[in-house]
Amino acid sequence: MSGRGELFVVSAPSGAGKSTLVARLTAALPDLVFSVSWTTRAPRPGEEDGVAYHFTDEATFHEKIAGGEMLEWAEVHGRLYGTGRAETLAALDRGRDMILDIDVQGAAQVRASGLPAVFVFILPPDYETLVRRLEGRATETNASLERRLANACVEAPQSRLFDYVVVNDDLDAAAADLIAIVRSARAGRARRAERLEAILATFPAPARDGGH
């Protein structure tokens, strides 16, 4: 594939299953570049710096913001998260497709930047399902659970601003929908213009038949 890469932005309320679906997507389409975000939160057990996230402190993160090094950034549940501008643009310029797994604040910043992207929102089938999923993690304090649910009530209506919405009711079906969205964008005529012109150039010119 030639030309500039496609940027896919995937957002969701906490507990909607976004990370699981993105993992399914990158497993099915391993040539997708997964953007490794920067964060000020502490690593969780098993997380490797530069793989799960680029872990840093707040002072360094704010220096990056001030220097224009962040394509987008947001404070989520008391921690800072962001996407490096240089590494994102470099991957796209090399013709690589990239996926950003970011929150709705970050998605809004990418949209406002004017950088072309395909925006996908993941929704649970209903609010009660979201509550059950967050409670089922058994990793949330009451305060953090309430904060995540309150944020979800603000974030879910933002789905109206996205190009696509995937409802994660059945994980396999939702993963198939997300994969189909990426494949559809890749198959678009504008994306394949150079290759299509090369193919069409191999066809003989249409024969003229007496003026018809």
Side-chain angles (χ1 to χ4, degrees):
M1 192 69 65
S2 59
R4 188 175 177 82
E6 195 84 54
L7 182 64
F8 297 91
V9 176
V10 183
S11 300
S14 181
K18 170 168 58 72
S19 296
T20 301
L21 288 172
V22 168
R24 291 279 194 102
L25 172 64
T26 54
L29 303 174
D31 56 328
L32 271 176
V33 177
F34 179 77
S35 174
V36 179
S37 297
W38 290 84
T39 185
T40 60
R41 77 159 173 78
R44 293 170 182 161
E47 288 185 333
E48 183 180 345
D49 185 38
V51 178
Y53 287 95
H54 298 296
F55 296 99
T56 190
D57 55 60
E58 288 198 17
T60 302
F61 197 104
H62 282 295
E63 287 176 4
K64 290 180 176 294
I65 295 171
E69 296 178 43
M70 290 295 182
L71 174 64
E72 59 80 29
W73 69 276
E75 183 175 343
V76 183
H77 311 306
R79 301 296 183 186
L80 298 173
Y81 294 82
T83 301
R85 182 185 303 275
E87 53 261 45
T88 300
L89 297 181
L92 297 175
D93 287 343
R94 293 196 304 270
R96 300 297 304 276
D97 292 338
M98 174 172 276
I99 184 162
L100 302 187
D101 176 354
I102 59 179
D103 83 313
V104 295
Q105 298 176 65
Q109 291 176 48
V110 175
R111 191 181 294 112
S113 76
L115 187 64
V118 178
F119 293 87
V120 186
F121 199 89
I122 310 297
L123 272 177
D126 51 58
Y127 178 76
E128 291 305 319
T129 299
L130 186 67
V131 173
R132 289 197 302 272
R133 288 176 181 173
L134 286 173
E135 289 177 339
R137 289 179 174 179
T139 59
E140 306 291 337
T141 64
N142 288 337
S144 65
L145 177 61
E146 290 177 5
R147 184 171 63 246
R148 289 179 188 275
L149 291 174
N151 287 343
C153 292
V154 175
E155 294 166 345
Q158 299 301 309
S159 61
R160 300 186 180 100
L161 302 176
F162 284 66
D163 300 314
Y164 299 92
V165 176
V166 173
V167 178
N168 186 14
D169 190 359
D170 175 87
L171 183 61
D172 289 338
D177 287 345
L178 184 57
I179 293 166
I181 289 168
V182 172
R183 285 178 169 159
S184 177
R186 287 178 156 185
R189 185 173 62 82
R191 173 68 189 275
R192 296 191 173 187
E194 185 176 333
R195 184 178 180 188
L196 291 178
E197 290 304 315
I199 294 172
L200 293 175
T202 68
F203 284 72
R208 297 184 177 181
D209 53 355
H212 292 289

